[in-house]
Amino acid sequence: MASNDVIYTLAMVISVALGPLFRDVLKDATSRKYVSAALGFLLLLGTCGHHIIHLLITILGNCFILSFFCPSKSETSNSNRQLGIAGISYLWNFGYLALFRTIHWFGISAPSPVTNAAQLFLTLRMIGLAFEVQDTRTRNSDTSTDIELKKKYCNINVSFLSVITYALCYIGLFTGPYFKYRTYQDWLNLPNNANLNRQEKFIKRALDLPTIAVAFLFFSYFFNIQYVETEEFMERSFLYRLFYMVPMFIIFRTRLYMAWIMSELMSVTAGLGAYPEDSVPKCGEGPTDYKKLDVALEEEKEGRKCEYNFETIHNIDIYGCELAPMTKQGLRSWNMTVQYWLANYVHKRVPQSMKAYRVAITMTVSAFWHGIHPGYYLSFLTVPPILMAEESMIKAFRDGKSAQVQKMFDWGCWFFKMRGFDYMCMGFLLLKLSSTLKYWYSIYFIGHVVMLLFLALGKVTLTFRPKKIKDLGDRDNFKSFEGNKKFN
């Protein structure tokens, strides 16, 4: 195991172990606020060393933006100015992220991979915070009565110091989950008598770890990405080269599964992201039924117990990743809180005039967030055409068909979905343009060829199909897919 993996593991284990401190010892919001920030600072200092300066510069820049570019409470809402706040936040955070990754070009030592991970999630927190401030100002200007509960449970009020403590909160510094400032605020004020049932939820989530760890260690022993760049590998048979991307994706995703499960566990032990089940919490968003949330919290004040869950910080749906038949469903099950951030602060914010390019823009932002290596862009920009090909095949061969035909289609689609992820994963691992293209060339760009064939096949079939048949079909079951419950 590489030294960076050791550092990651130690940081996550320490973070999980620190959780009970915030439920069993610290009983007030002020203590939780400053202790969680102090612990985060110490973790960053211990793992990042002098590179922590990049994180501190980023944080102070965001404090300045929110202090000097945010309209005051007394000002009337101005959508253009609010958009400017979010835009400035984007420019600052992504601009510094670009500098952070290229600073070695100027003779300054490159930050460590651990620092890079911390910088990534800090970027999400700070941009998300700017949008929360923007959305709060928008809601405050709305005088309709039906928005009062949303104001009560979604609005935030930040200060210079609270931006710093939120940024430094030890939970999710290196692996996520991403959580909103409002989620962080609710955690600080979480009642001490809340019925979280942390032990049961911890055990239920941790049960997946041993199997995933064994799979990771087994495949890591026999396969490694360095071998792909050797001449010996290129002399192997086509089928061997084609097969090799399968275990590489297994190694890639099991490693991330472990990190994301640990990130959920550190949230569970501390109580972060816990909300009453009746409020229908959703990943990243938090409560969505504010009336029931209001009732549950009022009843709790009167001494009644309500059940809590941690859906807000649910970061990985392994069954969805592994068994979802469609690419879109697989993507939504992967690193779910980051998916939430991309959906809410990129995809939904793209102007209506550019609606047709939303997916491509979102994938480009995601690629840039991950890094500046060409392999990321080659992989992420392969996603939109794959989704187009899949959509074309669904319309042509699944919609309006019998249950048996749909089931057979789903199994076939699942197989090709997983191979598509295998194919794109190589760009993530090889990173360099030459290395990625060399590998894809060695397997004759089979992922792109199959994708284009499916796209053409679906389009041609739909073109020659009678119109009345085209209009048949109900695909709502795709949208309600949950884990492996609907794929059996």
Side-chain angles (χ1 to χ4, degrees):
M1 183 179 289
S3 59
N4 285 317
D5 288 334
V6 173
I7 295 172
Y8 274 125
T9 303
L10 286 175
M12 287 188 291
V13 170
I14 291 171
S15 297
V16 172
L18 287 171
L21 172 69
F22 294 89
R23 292 301 303 159
D24 304 329
V25 179
L26 303 175
K27 300 296 185 180
D28 63 281
T30 302
S31 299
R32 293 170 182 169
K33 179 178 183 178
Y34 291 116
V35 173
S36 63
L39 290 172
F41 178 80
L42 291 175
L43 274 174
L44 290 172
L45 187 62
T47 55
C48 304
H50 67 276
H51 294 301
I52 194 176
I53 189 65
H54 295 291
L55 303 166
L56 298 180
I57 291 172
T58 303
I59 293 169
L60 291 176
N62 282 282
C63 289
F64 176 82
I65 291 169
L66 292 174
S67 297
F68 294 95
F69 291 94
C70 183
S72 65
K73 294 180 184 179
S74 60
E75 288 184 78
T76 304
S77 174
N78 183 308
S79 60
N80 289 329
R81 188 171 180 181
Q82 288 178 356
L83 181 62
I85 297 166
I88 292 169
S89 179
Y90 258 115
L91 287 173
W92 166 248
N93 288 283
F94 276 104
Y96 195 85
L97 192 59
L99 175 65
F100 172 85
R101 286 168 172 157
T102 57
I103 201 165
H104 59 282
W105 295 357
F106 306 100
I108 302 173
S109 60
S112 66
V114 178
T115 310
N116 179 65
Q119 187 74 33
L120 290 181
F121 283 97
L122 178 62
T123 298
L124 297 189
R125 286 192 195 185
M126 295 294 95
I127 294 176
L129 175 59
F131 274 108
E132 285 187 80
V133 170
Q134 168 182 309
D135 293 341
T136 294
R137 301 297 177 185
T138 302
R139 281 189 292 268
N140 284 341
S141 67
D142 190 337
T143 57
S144 57
T145 56
D146 58 352
I147 203 173
E148 290 306 313
L149 279 178
K150 193 165 186 179
K151 289 180 181 180
K152 180 178 179 180
Y153 292 112
C154 293
N155 281 7
I156 63 171
N157 183 22
V158 297
S159 64
F160 194 96
L161 189 57
S162 61
V163 173
I164 296 174
T165 55
Y166 169 59
L168 292 176
C169 179
Y170 79 97
I171 300 175
L173 281 177
F174 306 103
T175 57
Y178 164 75
F179 52 90
K180 300 191 301 183
Y181 182 87
R182 180 65 202 218
T183 302
Y184 164 76
Q185 179 180 301
D186 291 341
W187 170 61
L188 296 178
N189 295 291
L190 188 66
N192 295 318
N193 64 338
N195 183 32
L196 304 187
N197 200 4
R198 290 174 295 153
Q199 185 176 355
E200 178 184 332
K201 294 175 174 64
F202 182 94
I203 293 172
K204 182 179 179 181
R205 199 60 180 135
L207 284 175
D208 291 327
L209 276 174
T211 303
I212 296 169
V214 169
F216 171 75
L217 293 172
F218 176 82
F219 284 98
S220 296
Y221 183 81
F222 292 103
F223 303 94
N224 65 81
I225 194 63
Q226 290 77 21
Y227 184 53
V228 176
E229 299 195 72
T230 65
E231 290 302 320
E232 180 185 348
F233 176 82
M234 291 301 167
E235 292 173 0
R236 304 295 292 263
S237 68
F238 166 75
L239 289 178
Y240 181 86
R241 297 194 301 270
L242 181 65
F243 163 79
Y244 206 85
M245 64 183 182
V246 177
M248 291 314 305
F249 184 47
I250 292 174
I251 295 169
F252 178 75
R253 67 184 188 270
T254 51
R255 183 174 183 269
L256 291 175
Y257 287 170
M258 289 188 289
W260 291 333
I261 290 174
M262 289 294 288
S263 73
E264 289 186 31
L265 294 180
M266 71 177 70
S267 302
V268 170
T269 58
L272 176 71
Y275 287 102
E277 285 188 355
D278 289 346
S279 65
V280 196
K282 292 186 179 179
C283 175
E285 178 65 28
T288 56
D289 191 325
Y290 305 112
K291 289 183 179 179
K292 289 185 177 179
L293 175 64
D294 199 50
V295 171
L297 294 181
E298 288 300 320
E299 290 181 346
E300 194 169 53
K301 289 179 182 178
E302 298 172 2
R304 301 176 190 175
K305 293 290 185 182
C306 63
E307 288 296 321
Y308 281 71
N309 69 31
F310 287 87
E311 280 303 308
T312 303
I313 50 87
H314 189 190
N315 206 26
I316 178 67
D317 178 0
I318 294 175
Y319 293 104
C321 289
E322 298 292 332
L323 296 176
M326 311 303 163
T327 300
K328 185 179 292 186
Q329 295 161 346
L331 290 172
R332 287 175 177 172
S333 301
W334 175 274
N335 204 1
M336 292 161 63
T337 58
V338 173
Q339 295 289 337
Y340 165 84
W341 188 94
L342 288 168
N344 282 271
Y345 303 131
V346 181
H347 190 270
K348 292 180 181 179
R349 310 283 176 159
V350 173
Q352 192 67 23
S353 60
M354 301 178 67
K355 184 178 178 179
Y357 306 103
R358 280 180 177 173
V359 174
I361 291 172
T362 303
M363 288 299 152
T364 302
V365 171
S366 182
F368 181 79
W369 178 74
H370 280 84
I372 59 174
H373 298 289
Y376 292 137
Y377 297 88
L378 290 173
S379 296
F380 274 113
L381 295 179
T382 304
V383 173
I386 284 180
L387 293 176
M388 291 170 59
E390 191 173 82
E391 184 77 6
S392 177
M393 291 292 287
I394 290 170
K395 290 179 179 178
F397 298 104
R398 191 187 193 280
D399 287 357
K401 299 298 190 294
S402 66
Q404 184 175 2
V405 171
Q406 289 183 351
K407 190 172 183 178
M408 291 174 62
F409 179 94
D410 288 349
W411 276 109
C413 194
W414 167 82
F415 176 81
F416 285 105
K417 177 209 77 172
M418 295 305 293
R419 303 295 73 79
F421 284 153
D422 294 337
Y423 186 77
M424 289 184 289
C425 172
M426 297 305 286
F428 260 75
L429 295 173
L430 292 167
L431 297 178
K432 293 185 292 186
L433 178 67
S434 58
S435 300
T436 305
L437 293 179
K438 184 178 181 181
Y439 174 74
W440 283 352
Y441 177 79
S442 77
I443 56 173
Y444 307 109
F445 290 94
I446 191 169
H448 290 86
V449 170
V450 171
M451 171 185 66
L452 291 173
L453 286 175
F454 281 157
L455 180 61
L457 179 60
K459 294 292 185 183
V460 170
T461 302
L462 286 171
T463 299
F464 291 99
R465 175 182 293 182
K467 187 178 188 303
K468 64 178 182 179
I469 297 179
K470 289 183 186 180
D471 294 336
L472 293 176
D474 179 11
R475 293 160 51 216
D476 287 344
N477 57 321
F478 282 22
K479 299 177 182 178
S480 61
F481 175 84
E482 296 179 2
N484 64 341
K485 295 179 183 177
K486 294 191 181 295
F487 189 57
N488 48 41

